[in-house]
Amino acid sequence: MQVKCTLCDTVENIEDYSLQAKRLRNRRIYMYLCNNCYERVKDNTLKRHATGKFRLYEEKKKEDELI
Ligand SMILES: [Zn+2]
C-alpha cells in the first residue's frame, strides 16, 4: 500500500501485510513518517531526552515505587 509521510508528503510503498500497514488500516489517526523524517524526529527526541534527563529519572523512580 502507498503511504504518505505526515511531515514532508513523500509517498512510500510499504508491504500490504506488514505490521505498519496493519496499524495504518486499524487506526484512523496514525502518523506515517518516511525514513528521512523518522531519523530527524528520532534525533530531536534524543536531544530532548538528553536535556530532560532529570525528569526521565523521576519518572523511572515513580515506576519503581509502584512495583
Ligand atoms: Zn518525510
Side-chain angles (χ1 to χ4, degrees):
M1 69 186 275
Q2 287 201 322
V3 287
K4 203 160 121 185
C5 173
T6 316
L7 294 182
C8 69
D9 286 353
T10 299
V11 175
E12 288 188 342
N13 266 305
I14 58 171
E15 285 286 333
D16 276 358
Y17 297 103
S18 68
L19 184 68
Q20 208 169 24
K22 221 160 119 184
R23 275 149 92 196
L24 281 164
R25 275 195 297 262
N26 288 344
R27 299 183 190 190
R28 280 191 191 169
I29 305 163
Y30 181 80
M31 273 177 57
Y32 176 79
L33 300 179
C34 69
N35 282 332
N36 283 344
C37 291
Y38 179 76
E39 288 299 321
R40 209 169 58 211
V41 168
K42 202 173 74 182
D43 281 356
N44 287 342
T45 308
L46 288 176
K47 268 180 220 153
R48 252 206 316 273
H49 279 188
T51 55
K53 240 178 206 164
F54 185 71
R55 215 172 59 210
L56 281 175
Y57 175 71
E58 286 280 292
E59 279 165 14
K60 182 84 171 60
K61 210 173 136 195
K62 265 181 216 155
E63 276 171 25
D64 287 347
E65 279 167 7
L66 286 172
I67 298 166

